[in-house]
Amino acid sequence: MLSMPMATALIISYRSIISTVVVSGMETTSSVAARAVSRRISSFSTSTSSSLFSSTSSEEIDLSGAAAAKPLLPPKRILLLRHGQAVHNPRAEAAREAGCDFNEFLRLMGEDDAFDSPLTELGEKQAMDTGRQEHIKHALNDVDMLVSSPFSRALKTADLVHQRGDTKRVCIEDFREINGKLLNAKRRTRSELEDLYPHWNFDYIPMKDESWTEELEEKDECANRGYNGLLWIAKQLEQKVMVACHGGLLNLTLNTNRNVVLLDRRRKADSDEEHRCITKRFGNCEMREFIMTGWAADDMSNAQQDGEEQQVVLTLEEVTMELQEADIYDEEKVEMV
């Protein structure tokens, strides 16, 4: 029987049934994906499926419409990086690890709150240490664009992890943390950021932070912002992009947005510790690598009306960061969730 995290992730896997594409020498085959998902679903008894999928409508595990998906945006590599430890993180993150609820987590962050919360000394060390790791350096070697949230903790982390000065650097508002309520979620003006980080392009953000309010942003709104940020990257010419952003945003975007589908393409690990669930929340300064592809989803959604912009489903296939271009994506190497 499948574990609960794997079964939960399977709920949205039907959207990954896609036609054959080639990514940096790696072949992604629809028949492999289709067989993997079909085997997973057929392995559940009726009673087990009912309990695991109780919060999901039947259409979400119906594979019949998946074959209609059409490739729309070409695949590219994307490295997602959470910022290093910031001033508001230490106590709140420790409490989260100990199992506290969201309200307690929020309370502790509020007590340690700071405007545009900077990295701690440990956070800067985390970022520098991350950039020195051999598998990270290998992954960053051919990155052709850095994208960051407009918060200093993300911008500074990106600079410390990837110190090559000739790499294009762009700040995107959509990648900011869950907005509102806390001062650490309030950003500096564009002119202030330009003075602090003159090597970054801030043309894509408003002059002032006009979106912050004293009310915490709804989770769906945050997840949709993250999706829009990923979609913006998917439409750019750059083929390998590193994104520095935030734990809450990443968690909501990757795990709750219906237009984002996570898949597991990692090689089998030698230890249980390396078998981290792909839905697990990012730790401070943790980086993960994905192959991101956009698919036209008009045939899988009743929401799209004539004249509306075409809906895009983004598949993010997590890969082992040491993965070489010569590796072939085949059924023996795929662990699909």
Side-chain angles (χ1 to χ4, degrees), residues 18 23 78 96 98 105 115 124 132 134 139 143 196 241 266 284 297-299 324 329:
I18 53 182
V23 189
I78 181 168
R96 177 187 283 274
F105 178 69
F115 171 65
E124 293 191 11
R132 295 188 186 110
E134 287 303 319
V143 162
L196 289 169
V241 180
R266 295 171 298 175
N284 281 130
D298 48 311
D299 290 320
Q324 301 298 310
Y329 181 71

Side-chain angles (χ1 to χ4, degrees), residues 79-89 117-132 136 140 146-164 169 197 199-200 242-246 250 283-287:
L79 300 165
L80 297 181
L81 171 69
R82 185 189 175 194
H83 63 79
Q85 186 191 74
V87 168
H88 64 288
N89 286 150
S117 184
L119 294 177
T120 62
E121 183 177 343
L122 174 60
E124 293 191 11
K125 182 178 185 301
Q126 288 173 334
M128 289 186 287
D129 288 347
T130 295
R132 295 188 186 110
I136 299 287
L140 292 173
L146 303 186
V147 173
S148 177
S149 145
F151 292 124
S152 292
R153 56 193 182 272
L155 291 158
K156 186 67 175 290
T157 297
D159 282 341
L160 291 173
V161 170
H162 189 63
Q163 298 188 20
R164 270 180 43 195
R169 284 166 158 79
Y197 307 97
H199 49 296
W200 281 83
M242 187 190 90
V243 182
C245 53
H246 306 270
L250 287 170
N284 281 130
C285 228
E286 180 181 355
M287 180 185 288

Side-chain angles (χ1 to χ4, degrees), residues 166-234:
D166 58 344
T167 305
K168 180 178 179 180
R169 284 166 158 79
V170 181
C171 184
I172 299 296
E173 186 88 345
D174 282 332
F175 287 114
R176 65 187 293 161
E177 181 59 296
I178 301 173
N179 206 352
K181 192 175 179 69
L182 298 172
L183 289 177
N184 66 69
K186 195 171 187 178
R187 72 163 172 83
R188 300 176 184 274
T189 64
R190 187 204 291 180
S191 59
E192 288 176 321
L193 289 170
E194 288 171 338
D195 288 342
L196 289 169
Y197 307 97
H199 49 296
W200 281 83
N201 179 355
F202 295 99
D203 291 346
Y204 294 94
I205 70 171
M207 290 297 298
K208 296 181 179 179
D209 188 354
E210 300 172 346
S211 61
W212 187 92
T213 70
E214 293 184 358
E215 298 297 322
L216 193 66
E217 181 180 29
E218 293 293 331
K219 293 179 180 180
D220 287 348
E221 293 178 8
C222 179
N224 196 52
R225 275 198 297 104
Y227 163 77
N228 288 335
L230 292 175
L231 187 58
W232 181 86
I233 291 174

